[in-house]
Amino acid sequence: GKDGYRHYMEKELHEHPVVIGQTLQRIIDPVTRQITLPDLPFALEEIPRAVITACGSAFYAGLVGRYWLEAEARLPVDIDVASEMRYRNPPLSEGGLGLLISQSGETADTLAALRGLRAAKQHILSVLNVETSTMARESDVTLGMVAGPEISVASTKAFTAQLSVLAALTIAIGQARGAIGPARQQHLIACLLDLPSRAAEVFGQDEAIRAMAQVIAEARDVLYLGRGICFPVALEGALKLKEISYIHAEAYAAGEMKHGPISLIDRTVPIVAIAPSTILFDKTLSNLQEAKARGGRILVFTDAKGAARLRDLAEIVVVVPDVDAFVTPILYTIPVQILAYEVALLKGTDVDQPRNLAKSVTVE
Ligand code: F6R
């Protein structure tokens, strides 16, 4: 049941802290604080590169994974949505890593991309919630998220669980490749293990999130901006808003705004920025100044340090706990998804069963 929550989505949003904790517990040894992957039929240090593919929210998790694997593990990564990847037929040398991400493990395009990568002799590693799924059976190794059943059609806790697994995988690959030393590894693991408590604190910000929701519920179009590992969080926020509130939203890498979408901005198009003070904050700040100069209403998710610098610029700020840049995509996803939920409540839509959508897309 819904345990007293109004919708499964609300219940599942509140499960973020527990799900992140359980997922990390499965993959980080509590005593040695080392990443413990299941037995792999290949050596992590020998992987020359990775191809990541998935659909929808899972694809956005993959985008974060790309930033992490490139920047931290120094692993070359290619990524595309599965509906494109399955037909791209990229030239791949044997022995690379095919990394699939799927909550259901049944998504038709992702499954077809998996089979294509296997035919191209890639090692298949899947990040899945349903460990009895078709993708689980067809993978060399499965890394399970411990998200529990996700009933709401819009994905919530599966996304942060996917990110938690990808973060741990990044550390394991970085270590194997010699790109992450013991001190960096212990620091990153400590940041991850601290996340469930930080995630629980986010729920103290519901008033500011509801104030943002009031602004967005009036809009026809919304622009989400982010940079680096938080750009995919902007994509996730825009997708979730579209799915459940039926308000048109687009996400842009903040630096791309002036190459087109800035022409849309006026008072009727709110700008939602995912802007922790740790990631290219000054650059994002100047993008927001440009938007404000054109009449845009500025709504920002940031930390206390960022909030102090946005006092004159932002109309509403949601203050997110201060964390290391590495884990910001996991933490910032939570208030961004809650925002979509609050807007849907104001719009009175069928939150758990949005029109035209199915939980698992098993046709092409
Ligand atoms: C978004 C959403 C979809 C799924 C996508 C992939 O809220 O639910 O975009 O993320 O259909 O589904 P899985 O992860 O089951 O492959």
Side-chain angles (χ1 to χ4, degrees):
K2 294 180 208 161
D3 295 351
Y5 291 106
R6 289 163 287 182
H7 298 95
Y8 281 106
M9 185 175 180
E10 186 182 31
K11 177 184 172 207
E12 289 164 6
L13 283 166
H14 280 83
E15 287 171 6
H16 273 299
V18 168
V19 163
I20 295 167
Q22 284 172 352
T23 299
L24 291 172
Q25 235 170 45
R26 161 101 69 103
I27 207 167
I28 300 172
D29 186 294
V31 179
T32 63
R33 291 165 76 98
Q34 297 287 323
I35 310 287
T36 50
L37 297 181
D39 285 338
L40 302 174
F42 52 90
L44 278 185
E45 59 271 25
E46 283 165 18
I47 289 166
R49 63 201 298 269
V51 174
I52 304 180
T53 188
C55 300
S57 284
F59 170 68
Y60 300 148
L63 285 177
V64 177
R66 174 180 67 178
Y67 282 98
W68 278 334
L69 286 167
E70 286 181 347
E72 294 286 345
R74 309 304 298 153
L75 184 73
V77 175
D78 181 19
I79 180 165
D80 210 338
V81 289
S83 56
E84 288 299 313
M85 189 60 86
R86 64 182 290 188
Y87 296 116
R88 258 178 54 185
N89 192 19
L92 294 171
S93 41
E94 263 180 52
L97 183 67
L99 179 51
L100 292 302
I101 306 162
S102 176
Q103 189 283 127
S104 63
E106 302 294 347
T107 302
D109 283 321
T110 311
L111 182 59
L114 181 158
R115 289 172 178 162
L117 289 168
R118 172 175 294 295
K121 301 211 161 55
Q122 305 301 292
H123 301 298
I124 305 296
L125 188 157
S126 298
V127 178
L128 305 172
N129 194 30
V130 182
E131 293 179 63
T132 52
S133 57
T134 311
M135 276 183 230
R137 284 199 303 278
E138 297 196 16
S139 299
D140 295 321
V141 58
T142 296
L143 296 183
M145 344 165 180
V146 191
E150 199 179 56
I151 293 169
S152 153
V153 164
S155 187
T156 53
K157 57 180 178 166
F159 186 78
T160 52
Q162 285 157 357
L163 291 180
S164 302
V165 173
L166 291 169
L169 181 65
T170 298
I171 297 170
I173 294 179
Q175 244 183 311
R177 294 171 64 78
I180 295 178
R184 179 78 183 149
Q185 180 221 358
Q186 277 314 301
H187 170 70
L188 296 178
I189 287 178
C191 294
L192 284 174
L193 293 176
D194 186 43
L195 261 180
S197 322
R198 300 288 82 75
E201 289 169 24
V202 168
F203 294 89
Q205 284 292 318
D206 30 346
E207 239 173 83
I209 298 174
R210 275 199 288 272
M212 264 193 197
Q214 298 277 356
V215 174
I216 291 180
E218 305 282 299
R220 206 188 59 174
D221 308 284
V222 183
L223 196 56
Y224 282 69
L225 300 177
R227 277 179 183 266
I229 40 177
C230 282
F231 168 45
V233 179
L235 289 161
E236 164 67 4
L239 176 66
K240 216 104 296 179
L241 188 74
K242 280 183 274 213
E243 278 187 292
I244 61 169
S245 79
Y246 313 144
I247 294 173
H248 172 235
E250 292 302 328
Y252 271 85
E256 269 293 292
M257 192 185 64
K258 57 177 147 323
H259 298 287
I262 198 166
S263 68
L264 290 173
I265 294 174
D266 63 21
R267 226 185 124 74
T268 67
V269 183
I271 317 294
V272 177
I274 322 303
S277 68
T278 47
I279 300 168
L280 298 167
F281 184 77
D282 293 324
K283 309 267 179 196
T284 305
L285 192 70
S286 72
N287 299 136
L288 295 178
Q289 274 155 351
E290 289 156 10
K292 176 144 177 150
R294 283 149 186 91
R297 301 175 72 174
I298 311 294
L299 316 174
V300 189
F301 294 91
T302 186
D303 46 39
K305 205 163 133 213
R309 302 212 25 220
L310 283 161
R311 215 170 280 136
D312 300 326
L313 193 62
E315 182 174 333
I316 301 167
V317 174
V318 170
V319 182
V320 177
D322 205 0
V323 291
D324 189 278
F326 181 68
V327 294
T328 48
I330 307 180
L331 189 65
Y332 280 67
T333 291
I334 301 170
V336 167
Q337 289 179 344
I338 295 174
L339 175 63
Y341 176 72
E342 291 290 343
V343 176
L345 283 184
L346 291 172
K347 293 295 239 183
T349 54
D350 188 352
V351 174
D352 285 335
Q353 293 285 341
R355 66 189 184 203
N356 309 338
L357 291 174
K359 182 67 188 159
S360 170
V361 185
T362 53
V363 291
E364 185 173 1

